[in-house]
Every structure is written in structure tokens, then in C-alpha cells.
Amino acid sequence: MISVEMEIKPRFVEFIPKDLEEGVFYISGEYATTAHRCACGCGEKVVLPLHPTDWRLKFDGKAITIRPSVGNWGFPCRSHYLITENRIDWAGDWTDDQIAAGRRRDARRKSSWHKETLPSSAEPTTRSVSQGNWLRRLYQRMKNWTRK
């Protein structure tokens, strides 16, 4: 069920639309999330949160790159791909054991990151607000860049 469409176009939005256009990668910097239709063509909605413990987005003014790979293990298609400079690069299927190991690794990484970044009782709790402001500024810069 792999689609012949091997390119995806970035579209910066404030809100992710309810109906996603095929071949479009929606990016909400305001809410640090992305969404697109599964690259295999099955039509499933794929949501990727942008966060150091989840996915990272690189935008060079024309093209996007997302890391790590997109593994749709919960969908019937079980598609697995990378998005590199707007291109879909297919990756191999993972076994159930590989998926379980990957999920454990992700859980450990998230747990470790959150333990390191949680404010202590003596520290003001403005850290998450300032991180949100940083994301909003980044989103605004990317939006302005695409209007040039």
C-alpha cells in the first residue's frame, strides 16, 4: 500500500486542520506539533509532537527534515519511513520485539529528560512558560521566512 508520492510539502499553520491534505506536512510551532497523512497512502492521520524526547524538526527555509523515523506500528499498514528534505525515505519493518525495545528506550529517555528538567521546589516554575515562548518565537520566525 506504499504511495507513489515520495515528496511531502511543509505547511506552517497555527492549528492543525481537521481534514489533512494528502502530501502536506502540517507544522504548528505554536503548539509544537505536526500532522500528516501516512505516507503509505492508507489515509491514517499521523501526529508527531515536537520535543527533545519525541521528534525534532529541521527547516532550512525550503525543506523539512524530521528525526527520528516515523514508525506507524499501531496502524494496520505498519509503515516506517524517514522524512528528509521533504522526501519520504522508506525504512524497513520492525519485528514486535524491536518495537517493544524501541518503546522501552523511548520511555527511559523521556523519564530521564523530565527528571533533569523538572524544577526543584526552590526553583520558580516559569521554565515551561519560557520554553513555550521560545517555541512561539521559532514558529513566528519560520512563518516569516516562508512569506519571503
Side-chain angles (χ1 to χ4, degrees):
M1 192 182 219
I2 293 176
S3 170
V4 286
E5 180 68 29
M6 293 295 151
E7 292 264 330
I8 196 160
K9 291 179 266 178
R11 185 173 298 162
F12 292 92
V13 295
E14 182 176 358
F15 301 106
I16 302 294
K18 181 180 176 185
D19 297 318
L20 304 181
E21 201 177 311
E22 191 74 34
V24 176
F25 191 89
Y26 296 91
I27 304 155
S28 171
E30 184 76 16
Y31 296 99
T33 194
T34 70
H36 66 285
R37 293 258 175 239
C38 182
C40 82
C42 72
E44 291 281 354
K45 182 178 184 177
V46 178
V47 177
L48 306 175
L50 299 175
H51 188 271
T53 64
D54 290 308
W55 283 269
R56 294 170 309 282
L57 172 76
K58 179 180 150 192
F59 176 64
D60 67 4
K62 293 181 184 177
I64 56 156
T65 296
I66 286 286
R67 289 296 182 270
S69 63
V70 179
N72 295 318
W73 312 126
F75 298 161
C77 67
R78 290 176 56 109
S79 64
H80 184 206
Y81 49 89
L82 291 148
I83 300 174
T84 308
E85 296 180 353
N86 294 351
R87 204 179 55 253
I88 303 297
D89 296 318
W90 294 99
D93 190 14
W94 280 13
T95 66
D96 290 341
D97 288 342
Q98 288 173 308
I99 294 167
R103 287 179 175 158
R104 285 191 302 272
R105 186 176 53 249
D106 289 348
R108 281 192 308 271
R109 185 178 65 244
K110 287 178 187 192
S111 176
S112 173
W113 190 90
H114 288 292
K115 282 179 187 172
E116 291 173 12
T117 60
L118 286 176
S120 70
S121 58
E123 186 179 348
T125 57
T126 58
R127 175 175 274 168
S128 62
V129 173
S130 65
Q131 287 173 343
N133 290 339
W134 177 85
L135 285 171
R136 279 191 272 292
R137 288 193 309 272
L138 175 63
Y139 167 70
Q140 192 59 48
R141 284 195 341 230
M142 289 189 297
K143 229 169 59 170
N144 292 341
W145 183 282
T146 60
R147 289 184 183 154
K148 291 180 182 179

